[in-house]
């Protein structure tokens, strides 16, 4: 069973900042939070990963509150090409043992 | 990040036939995973292929239908047997990549259409 809950869909306009939140109330101590982007007919692409506080890379930021029961993926100044499904995945990097379950993901649509 | 190659990328298959999907990774990995993604749906874990042991299947997936091989630390195959139109999906290989702190990476997928 997936351990995560996300909004089914979100809409935005070009140039805006988009924040997608994922709930993971039952996150375990050793779990990491990873976000993926998926375009139609392609495999999910790794975006960012974090354990706590804030992580930033060249494409996104990940905000994780102290209780780690949720996380927020922030995409600055989105463009039309950011239209995709975004998944958050919570798992123990030290002991996956095949239990990597995905939730339904969030369909982000960016409008001109 | 990991470089994961899947073959075929796309195929049209006849009902009742079987097709083997190959997954090649650019580095040695212990854990490999196979997913199915039906149109408009999320990813569903089929099985975990740990090198040196039998694959572990998730509920609803059986070895007779989806036999998996894991001959070495960089390669795995998934066979979809006796296909029916309901097997039309994207099949995805993923790995736990030690060089990136065990981050999970995915191949580009194999899109199968069964007619």
């Amino acid at each position: 069973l997936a351990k995560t809950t996300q909004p089914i869909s979100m809409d935005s306009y070009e140039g805006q900042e988009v924040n997608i939140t994922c709930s993971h109330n039952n996150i375990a101590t050793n779990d990491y939070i990873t976000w993926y982007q998926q375009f139609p007919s392609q495999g999910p692409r790794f975006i960012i990963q974090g354990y706590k506080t804030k992580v930033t890379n060249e494409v996104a930021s990940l905000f994780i509150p102290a209780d780690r029961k949720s996380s927020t993926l922030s995409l600055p100044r989105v463009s039309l090409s950011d239209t995709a499904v975004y998944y958050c995945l919570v798992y123990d990097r030290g002991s996956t043992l095949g239990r990597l379950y995905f939730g339904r993901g969030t369909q982000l649509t960016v409008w001109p | 990040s990991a470089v994961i190659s899947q073959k075929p990328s796309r195929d049209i298959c006849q009902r009742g036939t079987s097709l083997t999907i190959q997954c090649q990774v650019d580095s040695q990995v212990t854990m490999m995973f196979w997913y199915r993604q039906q149109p408009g749906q999320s990813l569903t874990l089929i099985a975990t292929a740990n090198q040196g042991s039998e694959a572990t299947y998730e509920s609803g997936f059986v070895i007779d239908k989806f036999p998996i091989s894991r001959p070495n630390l960089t390669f795995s195959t998934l066979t979809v047997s006796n296909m029916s139109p309901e097997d039309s999906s994207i099949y995805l290989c993923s790995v736990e990549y030690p060089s990136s702190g065990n981050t999970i990476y995915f191949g580009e997928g194999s899109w199968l259409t069964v007619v």
Side-chain angles (χ1 to χ4, degrees):
Chain A
L1 296 176
K3 299 194 292 185
T4 62
T5 303
Q6 302 173 231
I8 297 297
S9 63
M10 295 182 67
D11 291 290
S12 182
Y13 292 95
E14 283 190 293
Q16 290 188 336
E17 178 184 77
V18 170
N19 296 308
I20 306 174
T21 297
C22 179
S23 296
H24 27 80
N25 291 320
N26 296 320
I27 190 168
T29 301
N30 294 329
D31 285 347
Y32 279 72
I33 302 155
T34 309
W35 284 81
Y36 297 87
Q37 176 191 56
Q38 187 179 31
F39 298 113
S41 303
Q42 295 185 21
R45 182 178 73 95
F46 172 85
I47 301 174
I48 198 167
Q49 182 177 76
Y51 182 80
K52 63 181 179 180
T53 62
K54 176 183 175 182
V55 180
T56 298
N57 62 22
E58 63 276 10
V59 298
S61 294
L62 177 59
F63 298 92
I64 305 169
D67 66 5
R68 304 199 327 120
K69 293 184 182 298
S70 66
S71 59
T72 299
L73 173 71
S74 181
L75 304 173
R77 298 179 299 282
V78 294
S79 64
L80 296 177
S81 63
D82 292 316
T83 293
V85 178
Y86 292 82
Y87 294 96
C88 73
L89 177 67
V90 173
Y91 72 99
D92 183 344
R93 293 196 316 183
S95 179
T96 49
L97 293 179
R99 295 299 182 261
L100 301 179
Y101 302 119
F102 281 80
R104 297 180 64 181
T106 298
Q107 171 67 59
L108 172 65
T109 302
V110 180
W111 302 94
Chain B
S1 64
V3 177
I4 305 170
S5 302
Q6 279 190 239
K7 292 181 181 179
S9 58
R10 183 180 293 263
D11 207 342
I12 299 175
C13 309
Q14 295 295 318
R15 184 192 304 247
T17 63
S18 299
L19 183 81
T20 296
I21 302 166
Q22 299 179 0
C23 178
Q24 179 75 51
V25 190
D26 67 334
S27 184
Q28 294 185 343
V29 298
T30 301
M31 306 295 288
M32 296 181 76
F33 311 92
W34 287 98
Y35 287 85
R36 180 175 73 182
Q37 187 174 32
Q38 296 176 307
Q41 303 297 313
S42 183
L43 291 78
T44 300
L45 182 63
I46 297 173
T48 300
N50 190 357
Q51 199 275 333
S53 62
E54 294 290 323
T56 301
Y57 289 82
E58 297 295 311
S59 175
F61 297 96
V62 295
I63 188 171
D64 290 346
K65 176 68 175 178
F66 298 101
I68 289 171
S69 78
R70 184 76 205 276
N72 58 52
L73 290 171
T74 63
F75 188 78
S76 178
T77 67
L78 170 75
T79 299
V80 186
S81 303
N82 188 25
M83 286 185 285
S84 67
E86 291 72 33
D87 294 319
S88 297
S89 290
I90 299 175
Y91 291 85
L92 294 155
C93 168
S94 73
V95 305
E96 183 183 62
Y97 204 62
S99 300
S100 298
N102 287 348
T103 298
I104 304 297
Y105 291 100
F106 286 82
E108 283 303 306
S110 299
W111 181 291
L112 303 187
T113 301
V114 184
V115 297

